[in-house]
Amino acid sequence: MTGERDLIDELSRIFGLPPPQVVCGIGDDAAVIAGQGGEYLLWTVDALIEKVHFDLTYMPLRQLGRKALAVNLSDIAAMGGKPRYALLALGWPPERDLFGALELARGMQEVAQETGVTVIGGDTVSSPGSLSMSLTVLGQVKKEELLRRDGAQIGELIYLTGPVGLAAAGLETLRRGLTLTETERTLLLQAFFDPQPQILAARVLARNHLATALIDLSDGVASDLFQICRRSNVGAVVESTLIPVPAPVAEVAAQIGKDPLELALKGGEDYLLLFTSPPDREKALYLHFSEAGLGTPICIGKIVRGNRVWLRRPEATQDISGMGFDHFRLKEL
Amino acid sequence: MTGERDLIDELSRIFGLPPPQVVCGIGDDAAVIAGQGGEYLLWTVDALIEKVHFDLTYMPLRQLGRKALAVNLSDIAAMGGKPRYALLALGWPPERDLFGALELARGMQEVAQETGVTVIGGDTVSSPGSLSMSLTVLGQVKKEELLRRDGAQIGELIYLTGPVGLAAAGLETLRRGLTLTETERTLLLQAFFDPQPQILAARVLARNHLATALIDLSDGVASDLFQICRRSNVGAVVESTLIPVPAPVAEVAAQIGKDPLELALKGGEDYLLLFTSPPDREKALYLHFSEAGLGTPICIGKIVRGNRVWLRRPEATQDISGMGFDHFRLKEL
């Protein structure tokens, strides 16, 4: 085993084939269980650990609460569904003021109210050393509106619901204390602290059958598009000139001596949607997004034969399959 | 805030009143959501953290996997329900061999197969320092068979489904390296390592409407009975002479210089059922347990007026309300 993917494959083997009412198990954004009356239950769980997923030296606890829930709702959105309920298990360091736990809960409740989700409750335990939490969210989707990672077809177009790299640039700004204009700084930090789960955009895609494969951008385009390719048995070509890299991302990249495209494609934590759609649905796609008051989706490339993700730049074409944040690429076994 | 209870009360206030389809939120063993056709969904989440909930120096990873799932299934049993699905979020220390994660999964899968539960999948992340995991379990129960903590009535009898203190004595044996006979040692370690979720016993109680309040013993009789009393607005008297304290528990208590009753009532981790039942159901209770091949429930006391839990000993009566493991009684705010 050399990475998170291999570990997940091994775990699938141990847990075996699920019964038929489990429509989708390990390997998508959420587990899917067939319910009654053509409704599917969507179910996710996520562990967030201090110093791995967040750093409390620059992340206020209320923001952490907001983000923790938003990220989980994003997983439900990525299946085309509506999030409904959340349960929280909180591991709180005994030396940390308990009022901080209430701040965290307040942030979570803000996002819950914004998205029509009910935080039902959970479990609180003492956690020496670092703050950890796990959130589990239940959502629902009609059987015929379920969106998965595995439906991409050769010839289809690849879209993003917004510009990428803002969250990663925000994190770099915090980490390195970069100097930016106030407007740039606000934009980047907001993207990093307060991702907006794309529930409406995903519902528009699902309801109108506009997407064939969908994932939310947690690890970055390179890594997440590779997941769609793996699951769909296809390859992808991304055009460097089509990637929406906002000016503040380019500015941060320049300051830290990085390629802006790398920051945009590998940064992660954007929590936008990445999806594929047949070319003949392009008009309908733009129309439905516009009618819903959503920004126009941005086409960044095409699904092709093969099993790799290619970035076509003016100077050369580069294999970017799976470049991103793989939690276990730390040692070989 | 001075303890876990206060924290939970504050959190309930922040998250507000749930919608009517949430039958039971914070404060019972599992959240209860009304589904279609008179079925209720039962939902739990639990965080387990190294050095708080388990110690890998004496807990093999396969046993940890078994116990982690068993403990969560016990929460579903405590609502009278059938556990169906589990999702795991695992925080794995990067310096620890990943094969250990597979051992943990294997242990979990053993218990899943023994209980008819499907482990669907989950999330794996790197966790520097300590191993942490969170498990979420979904179960179901018919509306009319739901068992809660809040139904105990004055005059009802209090029962246990087995002898208590074995798990706590097992932990002391490991921690202090006590010398016992091989039979005693095996019995105690098995109770500590491998709790058996009382799914069948709980189903017998639920199906036959034999219990008015039910909780699973995670923190110990003193603490868990106090939860029933708090929720039901009643008090309880426990008779010291009726507490089933097995000989090996008394042996361990003697070796460590503790009162055997204290070990039995405050030790925790027994994961048996503690429930209340009207006196006129006693015959039916014994009959249904016997027909199901279960051991006879053990009556340990009576529900009384008031709001405290009393232990009546030959020499004196003692208030034992809530004595047990409260994760946050560590500092005052």
Side-chain angles (χ1 to χ4, degrees), chain B residues 280-321:
Chain B
D280 62 8
R281 299 288 281 151
E282 197 171 15
K283 227 174 175 171
L285 178 66
Y286 291 157
L287 188 70
H288 283 292
F289 265 58
S290 154
E291 277 178 3
L294 295 162
T296 309
I298 303 151
C299 179
I300 60 164
K302 215 180 201 171
I303 295 298
V304 298
R305 234 171 264 281
N307 57 13
R308 310 298 299 170
V309 177
W310 302 98
L311 176 65
R312 183 143 59 196
R313 313 184 82 141
E315 61 280 18
T317 296
Q318 182 187 352
D319 185 344
I320 58 164
S321 310

Side-chain angles (χ1 to χ4, degrees), chain A residues 9-320:
Chain A
D9 289 346
E10 282 292 330
L11 292 175
S12 312
R13 222 160 291 151
I14 290 168
F15 294 134
L17 266 186
Q21 56 276 36
V22 177
V23 178
C24 193
I26 287 182
D28 217 307
D29 291 287
V32 185
I33 302 167
Q36 283 163 329
E39 279 281 337
Y40 281 171
L41 207 58
L42 301 172
W43 188 24
T44 72
V45 66
D46 226 350
L48 292 171
I49 295 159
E50 190 178 348
K51 282 165 212 137
V52 183
H53 298 93
F54 57 89
D55 187 332
L56 290 172
T57 54
Y58 43 72
M59 183 66 131
L61 282 158
R62 190 184 277 238
Q63 287 296 343
L64 178 62
R66 288 189 61 92
K67 185 164 177 174
L69 184 56
V71 164
N72 274 271
L73 301 186
S74 183
D75 277 330
I76 299 292
M79 309 300 288
K82 278 178 254 181
R84 298 293 307 274
Y85 304 106
L87 278 182
L88 166 70
L90 187 61
W92 194 256
E95 67 281 7
R96 200 174 260 284
D97 195 323
L98 269 180
F99 283 115
L102 305 184
E103 269 301 285
L104 191 145
R106 281 186 202 107
M108 207 167 270
Q109 179 62 8
E110 285 168 10
V111 170
Q113 283 182 320
E114 288 160 20
T115 52
V117 166
T118 301
V119 182
I120 300 182
D123 187 31
T124 50
V125 299
S126 171
S127 164
S130 63
L131 199 166
S132 71
M133 63 179 135
S134 60
L135 261 168
T136 173
V137 173
L138 278 177
Q140 56 190 163
V141 67
K142 286 205 191 92
K143 185 178 172 171
E144 64 276 15
E145 295 181 3
L146 178 70
L147 283 168
R148 304 167 52 140
R149 297 179 178 177
D150 60 4
Q153 301 282 331
I154 293 160
E156 290 182 343
L157 300 174
I158 304 161
Y159 293 91
L160 288 174
T161 54
V164 282
L166 291 165
L171 178 58
E172 293 294 344
T173 304
L174 287 166
R175 259 194 199 145
R176 310 196 191 207
L178 303 181
T179 314
L180 296 166
T181 69
E182 202 45 45
T183 319
E184 285 176 334
R185 200 184 150 80
T186 306
L187 182 77
L188 297 182
L189 296 199
Q190 189 152 346
F192 173 70
F193 279 139
D194 213 17
Q196 304 295 310
Q198 308 275 295
I199 302 168
L200 176 59
R203 289 294 306 137
V204 169
L205 292 174
R207 224 168 24 219
N208 302 291
H209 307 286
L210 295 165
T212 51
L214 175 63
I215 193 169
D216 69 322
L217 282 179
S218 57
D219 294 349
V221 170
S223 177
D224 293 326
L225 182 52
F226 188 48
Q227 295 308 328
I228 284 186
C229 288
R230 270 179 60 122
R231 293 249 138 204
S232 305
N233 286 313
V234 294
V237 175
V238 171
E239 303 292 342
S240 68
T241 53
L242 298 179
I243 304 292
V245 184
V249 174
E251 170 63 29
V252 167
Q255 286 197 28
I256 65 176
K258 251 195 182 170
D259 179 351
L261 264 184
E262 199 183 317
L263 200 57
L265 295 179
K266 290 170 61 180
E269 299 222 72
D270 288 307
Y271 298 105
L272 298 165
L273 303 180
L274 174 71
F275 63 95
T276 57
S277 183
D280 62 9
R281 299 289 280 150
E282 198 172 15
K283 230 179 175 163
L285 178 65
Y286 291 156
L287 188 70
H288 283 293
F289 265 57
S290 157
E291 277 177 3
L294 294 162
T296 310
I298 302 151
C299 178
I300 60 164
K302 217 180 199 171
I303 296 297
V304 297
R305 234 171 264 283
N307 57 14
R308 311 299 297 171
V309 177
W310 301 97
L311 176 65
R312 185 146 55 196
R313 313 184 81 143
E315 61 279 17
T317 296
Q318 182 187 352
D319 185 343
I320 58 164

